[in-house]
Amino acid sequence: MLRQLKARFGGPVAMAIVGLLCIWLIAMVVLPQLQMIDYSLRPNLLPDEVGGPRDHWSLTNYATLFDNRIHLAIFFKTLWSSVLVTVLTLLVSYPIAYYLAKIATPGQAALCLLLLIIPFWINEILRTFSWFIILAFRGPLNEVLLTLGLIERPVRFLNGDAGVLVGMVYAYILFMIFPLYNAIESLDGNQVRAAHDLGAGTVRTHWRIVIPHAKPGIATGCIMTFMLAAGSYAVPALLGSPGSRWFTQIIYNWFFEGGDWNQGAAYAFLLLVLCIGFMSLVMRLFKVGLADIAK
């Protein structure tokens, strides 16, 4: 990368860019994570006990999760639900991305992208709250379904995880569409036409031609969507029921309601490890590297 920057901007500018990037990574990523790890390994002590004989590293905070069956169940439920959000977002985004990249005219593609982007000019909390209104027991969706005679009584869409899943798919759909769009757009259309000429149907063409070519985009979209879903707080807090808590809500409670930053840091670090593990699994599954994803 440094060599490419030197060729484009010259030596001094390239060194300045790399230097600023390293400073940003160290100050904003590395040091906060190291501090979080340090917090997670120490007990929650009173100010006058800090530095005393009880102030030492241990794995007690991490063991708390595995000793608490409720928190452990919420942890695995967050893992499964985040995977489900990722799969649903991929299923919704793939046809849209393919249409924008290979079927729509430039004008149609620009209009569709504009319609997709405009709602995201609004704050995420406001967008999530709009889904709370739509899915409410006496909200517009229930009124439409009642008017059409599709249901006999209002449905409690927000009772369980359904509202959270819908809200998350909507909230993170662009993070799946854009990587897919960029990957599919680079596919030579002659390959698709050749597959059709040789007798391949639509499903087989996508399975054998389009999807293998779009693997970096699929991997990038899945990684971004999963990490955002697993780390989301606003969507489950607004659209979830009391029985559909997210692991991030437990972390929030440890930090800001329980006042135990050390325990919260341990839970947050476990969530980070989960996200890194998922990222590694996706990269291995799709046989792509960081260089492929960065494209």
Side-chain angles (χ1 to χ4, degrees):
M1 183 182 71
L2 181 59
R3 186 177 301 174
Q4 295 174 343
L5 289 174
K6 283 183 178 180
R8 185 171 183 179
F9 300 107
V13 176
M15 293 298 295
I17 293 174
V18 173
L20 290 173
L21 179 61
C22 291
I23 292 173
W24 183 85
L25 287 174
I26 293 172
M28 302 300 293
V29 179
V30 177
L31 292 180
Q33 297 302 325
L34 291 176
Q35 186 175 21
M36 183 177 70
I37 294 173
D38 179 65
Y39 264 70
S40 70
L41 293 172
R42 297 184 183 277
N44 185 33
L45 301 173
L46 296 174
D48 58 350
E49 293 181 301
V50 176
R54 295 180 57 196
D55 190 8
H56 58 82
W57 283 2
S58 71
L59 297 176
T60 304
N61 293 323
Y62 292 94
T64 301
L65 174 63
F66 300 98
D67 293 335
N68 191 317
R69 292 185 177 181
I70 296 176
H71 289 184
L72 189 62
I74 294 175
F75 179 80
F76 285 112
K77 175 234 174 183
T78 300
L79 168 62
W80 160 247
S81 299
S82 299
V83 172
L84 185 58
V85 168
T86 303
V87 173
L88 291 175
T89 308
L90 176 61
L91 294 176
V92 172
S93 302
Y94 181 83
I96 299 174
Y98 184 80
Y99 170 79
L100 294 174
K102 292 300 177 186
I103 299 176
T105 64
Q108 292 172 337
L111 178 61
C112 289
L113 289 173
L114 184 63
L115 293 175
L116 287 169
I117 293 172
I118 284 178
F120 287 81
W121 293 352
I122 304 173
N123 183 272
E124 180 183 356
I125 295 178
L126 295 178
R127 285 187 280 111
T128 303
F129 192 72
S130 67
W131 276 106
F132 179 84
I133 296 173
I134 293 171
L135 299 174
F137 185 68
R138 291 294 182 181
L141 180 58
N142 268 317
E143 293 297 331
V144 171
L145 294 176
L146 286 170
T147 302
L148 296 176
L150 299 178
I151 56 176
E152 296 180 357
R153 60 181 63 89
V155 179
R156 296 188 181 275
F157 292 107
L158 299 178
N159 186 19
D161 293 328
V164 178
L165 295 178
V166 171
M168 284 194 175
V169 169
Y170 172 75
Y172 307 130
I173 191 170
L174 289 186
F175 295 95
M176 184 71 76
I177 286 179
F178 284 136
L180 285 173
Y181 172 78
N182 290 332
I184 296 174
E185 189 183 32
S186 63
L187 175 65
D188 187 356
N190 291 324
Q191 296 185 42
V192 176
R193 287 189 289 270
H196 286 309
D197 292 340
L198 293 173
T202 301
V203 174
R204 191 172 185 182
T205 300
H206 281 270
W207 184 255
R208 298 292 297 273
I209 303 295
V210 182
I211 292 178
H213 181 83
K215 282 196 302 183
I218 296 173
T220 304
C222 289
I223 289 171
M224 295 178 67
T225 303
F226 177 87
M227 296 183 74
L228 288 169
S232 176
Y233 176 80
V235 177
L238 288 175
L239 300 180
S241 64
S244 61
R245 300 183 73 189
W246 218 253
F247 195 65
T248 47
Q249 295 173 281
I250 305 297
I251 297 173
Y252 179 91
N253 291 340
W254 279 122
F255 272 106
F256 300 108
E257 295 182 9
D260 193 341
W261 284 41
N262 304 87
Q263 188 65 67
Y267 276 33
F269 183 70
L270 288 172
L271 184 62
L272 175 64
V273 171
L274 169 67
C275 292
I276 294 175
F278 179 83
M279 181 178 68
S280 302
L281 178 63
V282 170
M283 291 172 60
R284 186 178 183 86
L285 180 64
F286 287 94
K287 298 179 181 179
V288 297
L290 289 175
D292 299 317
I293 294 176
K295 295 178 181 179

